[in-house]
Amino acid sequence: MKNGFTKYFLTAALPCLLWTSSIYAANPQPMKMTTPIAPGVAAPDKVKTSIGNLKLNYGYPDDATTQKVYDNLDASRALQAYLLAIPIVNQVGMRATLREFGPVNQTDVIWEDLVDSKTVELTANDNTIYSFIWLDTKKGPLVVEIPPMVLGAIDDFWYKWVADIGITGEDKGKGGKYLILPPDYTGEVPQGYFVVRPNTYGNWMPFRSFLVDGSTKPGVEAVKKHLKIYQLSDAANPPEMKFVNASGIPSNFVPPADYTFWSLLNEAIQEEPSAGSDPTTLGLFASIGIEKGKPFNPDERMKKILTDAANIGSVTARAIAFRIRDKDAFFYPDSKWRLPFFGGYKFEKSPDVANLDGAAFYYYFATGVTPAMAEKMVGKGSQYPWRSQDANGNPFEGGKNYKLHLPPNIPVKDFWSVIVYDNQTRSMVQTDQKFPSVSSQNKDMVVNKDGSVDVYFGPKAPAGKEGNWVQTIPNKGWFMILRLYGPLEPWFDKTWKPSEIELVK
């Protein structure tokens, strides 16, 4: 009887003893210095998250959780690094293509017969004469003699604006000598130059010259007569410039968006001084293995993460560009007309606060950064309203027909144009038309009796409207830019407004 009772007592009491022990282990008797843990400080032993269940032992992550969060951390940093690196990689790609035409500091790649659709270049125009030049100051200060009546800028290797040249520059369109100094230059600065101090050795200098009575010849001749680039030390005997006509030559200035993106980024990081960037951006690059003075040699795990980040980053940039969610990206609150810049040329939400989406959109979509494109300059510079959606908010489809109505008194001092671009390359659509555009410079453009203009888009031209038509291709999406050269006050005060683009059946 006694043994039976003892067995019964132990069987009944054991669970209670175990429960009491576990409670004591989880909640030990307070020590002399014990204070309550504030809410939100302690981590539970199991945390449900978007990357799965995370397990800890009194705040200490287990092996599987540690691997999971590091994979997520590296992937997150790689995606942000990708978006921040788009402008730098654009510049590396630009330099690589320009080198194919000739040596840096000596070669002007000039589109003497305008840019046509065989040139794959982010949102180039076919209305002005482009000159693309790569400057490199590693050997010392450079002198650049700018021709009169051009419009351009100098952007550094990080794709930050350095200076305007030409009409909006210090020479005010009269032409002049610019002295480009290396970032580490401490020597004497001679008189008689417009002095430019970039933070990088490598710099891109694009500029445009203009048609005269519909002809490119005067503008091209002026560039060839006046443009000179030479080391300051060679001022007494400057070398000859090399001019290469890129019109009609198949060429690609758009960098890759896949895994090779990272190698191009590493190229710039190794070459340029860190001072031109900022510690956070360079820290992101370093966290994924791209750091100045060190080899970029990711292991298989990191290659997989970087490949995935490039794929996600490319689509993210496209979503930001084509389907922006920021209301500040639009010209009008009730319209699909978009701004090319929002946040200004520095891409800021407020002073010293970066507009990350504004920068990612612009650099994925366009080239050339200058305040002249973002500031109100009545009768000078250019404005670039653009859109990728019709009046109903649907993306443009190459197999459908659309109509844009430009009301009378289009507010430009100089001229206007409408150019169509391919969604994939963000470059001119490649169709049977050499120039996929309609412009006030076109002699065969039809103007309505009231001074308004209708522009048509689609696979076939409306009868009698060939001069007002841009060809598109079925199954290929597109977007368009309305360029206003020498914009006037009615544009800035919004008393003149282009129509929504309607689908025509």
Side-chain angles (χ1 to χ4, degrees):
M1 180 70 179
K2 184 178 180 179
N3 290 338
F5 174 78
T6 301
K7 289 180 179 180
Y8 169 80
F9 175 80
L10 291 174
T11 301
L14 186 58
C16 295
L17 291 171
L18 292 174
W19 178 80
T20 302
S21 299
S22 65
I23 289 294
Y24 180 80
N27 300 281
Q29 290 296 317
M31 307 297 282
K32 288 182 179 181
M33 299 302 293
T34 300
T35 59
I37 297 178
V41 173
D45 285 351
K46 183 179 289 185
V47 182
K48 291 184 178 180
T49 74
S50 61
I51 61 172
N53 291 332
L54 306 179
K55 296 180 180 180
L56 305 93
N57 180 11
Y58 196 71
Y60 190 92
D62 68 12
D63 291 347
T65 290
T66 299
Q67 185 64 54
K68 193 177 294 184
V69 295
Y70 272 127
D71 287 346
N72 182 66
L73 180 62
D74 289 342
S76 300
R77 285 177 172 169
L79 175 57
Q80 291 307 315
Y82 185 97
L83 296 174
L84 290 172
I86 288 172
I88 303 171
V89 172
N90 278 359
Q91 291 289 60
V92 179
M94 175 65 68
R95 182 181 65 174
T97 302
L98 291 177
R99 281 173 166 173
E100 293 175 5
F101 287 92
V104 302
N105 297 337
Q106 294 177 252
T107 308
D108 177 12
V109 179
I110 179 171
W111 282 261
E112 296 184 22
D113 305 299
L114 305 179
V115 175
D116 57 61
S117 54
K118 286 189 176 181
T119 298
V120 179
E121 157 64 10
L122 296 175
T123 54
N125 76 61
D126 58 14
N127 314 117
T128 58
I129 305 157
Y130 275 110
S131 284
F132 283 6
I133 299 158
W134 192 263
L135 306 175
D136 192 308
T137 61
K138 287 190 180 72
K139 293 182 179 180
L142 281 176
V143 177
V144 180
E145 297 188 15
I146 295 296
M149 294 308 297
V150 300
L151 181 67
I154 298 174
D155 292 330
D156 70 16
F157 216 147
W158 306 129
Y159 225 138
K160 295 177 182 177
W161 175 77
V162 179
D164 277 354
I165 57 173
I167 295 169
T168 55
E170 289 192 74
D171 65 284
K172 306 299 182 185
K174 297 178 182 179
K177 295 181 180 181
Y178 286 75
L179 182 63
I180 320 300
L181 299 178
D184 56 355
Y185 186 73
T186 57
E188 182 181 351
V189 178
Q191 299 294 315
Y193 298 93
F194 300 118
V195 179
V196 180
R197 298 177 181 272
N199 286 317
T200 57
Y201 294 105
N203 299 274
W204 179 48
M205 186 178 73
F207 64 81
R208 293 174 287 172
S209 41
F210 299 91
L211 278 64
V212 177
D213 297 326
S215 172
T216 62
K217 186 176 180 180
V220 172
E221 288 179 347
V223 171
K224 291 185 176 181
K225 179 180 179 181
H226 294 283
L227 179 65
K228 293 181 176 63
I229 302 172
Y230 48 88
Q231 302 293 145
L232 179 61
S233 56
D234 294 333
N237 187 29
E240 287 190 11
M241 287 292 298
K242 178 181 180 181
F243 296 93
V244 181
N245 183 7
S247 296
I249 298 176
S251 54
N252 174 61
F253 291 85
V254 179
D258 57 11
Y259 180 81
T260 54
F261 178 99
W262 302 113
S263 296
L264 297 183
L265 172 60
N266 184 61
E267 189 176 325
I269 296 302
Q270 299 307 324
E271 289 184 27
E272 294 293 346
S274 299
S277 185
D278 64 88
T280 300
T281 298
L282 294 177
L284 273 174
F285 297 160
S287 74
I288 59 171
I290 297 176
E291 185 174 1
K292 189 173 182 64
K294 297 182 179 181
F296 175 51
N297 188 26
D299 58 21
E300 288 305 313
R301 169 187 166 275
M302 202 63 198
K303 282 182 180 178
K304 183 177 179 181
I305 288 174
L306 292 175
T307 299
D308 193 48
N311 292 335
I312 296 172
S314 175
V315 177
T316 301
R318 288 179 179 276
I320 293 172
F322 291 118
R323 308 190 70 174
I324 191 75
R325 59 186 178 182
D326 193 328
K327 293 181 180 179
D328 291 338
F330 295 86
F331 267 106
Y332 315 98
D334 58 343
S335 172
K336 299 299 180 184
W337 285 103
R338 293 270 305 276
L339 290 158
F341 283 106
F342 58 105
Y345 75 96
K346 292 183 179 179
F347 307 104
E348 293 179 330
K349 281 187 169 292
S350 58
D352 300 318
V353 178
N355 189 322
L356 297 176
D357 286 357
F361 145 65
Y362 182 82
Y363 288 118
Y364 195 73
F365 181 89
T367 60
V369 175
T370 166
M373 294 174 68
E375 294 179 0
K376 179 179 178 179
M377 301 177 67
V378 178
K380 297 181 179 180
S382 330
Q383 290 285 301
Y384 302 90
W386 74 282
R387 60 190 298 153
S388 59
Q389 298 172 341
D390 65 20
N392 297 317
N394 298 314
F396 295 128
E397 297 181 27
K400 295 181 179 180
N401 299 299
Y402 301 87
K403 177 183 174 182
L404 165 66
H405 180 73
L406 300 176
N409 303 313
I410 298 172
V412 291
K413 175 186 174 184
D414 301 320
F415 63 94
W416 61 266
S417 74
V418 170
I419 304 179
V420 173
Y421 300 92
D422 182 276
N423 282 356
Q424 288 284 20
T425 64
R426 293 92 70 203
S427 304
M428 293 179 187
V429 292
Q430 295 181 326
T431 65
D432 291 334
Q433 290 179 316
K434 183 178 181 179
F435 303 113
S437 63
V438 172
S439 169
S440 58
Q441 295 177 316
N442 295 356
K443 295 179 180 180
D444 58 348
M445 186 190 71
V446 177
V447 179
N448 299 326
K449 291 182 179 180
D450 64 354
S452 66
V453 177
D454 295 318
V455 180
Y456 299 88
F457 312 88
K460 294 183 180 180
K465 303 290 185 179
E466 288 81 2
N468 295 47
W469 165 70
V470 184
Q471 186 178 22
T472 58
I473 304 174
N475 302 316
K476 290 190 175 183
W478 56 273
F479 63 95
M480 56 78 64
I481 298 178
L482 169 62
R483 285 178 165 84
L484 305 173
Y485 292 92
L488 300 178
E489 192 62 46
W491 168 252
F492 292 107
D493 65 19
K494 300 183 180 180
T495 56
W496 183 92
K497 179 181 176 182
S499 76
E500 297 300 294
I501 298 182
E502 302 285 349
L503 186 63
V504 179
K505 295 183 180 180

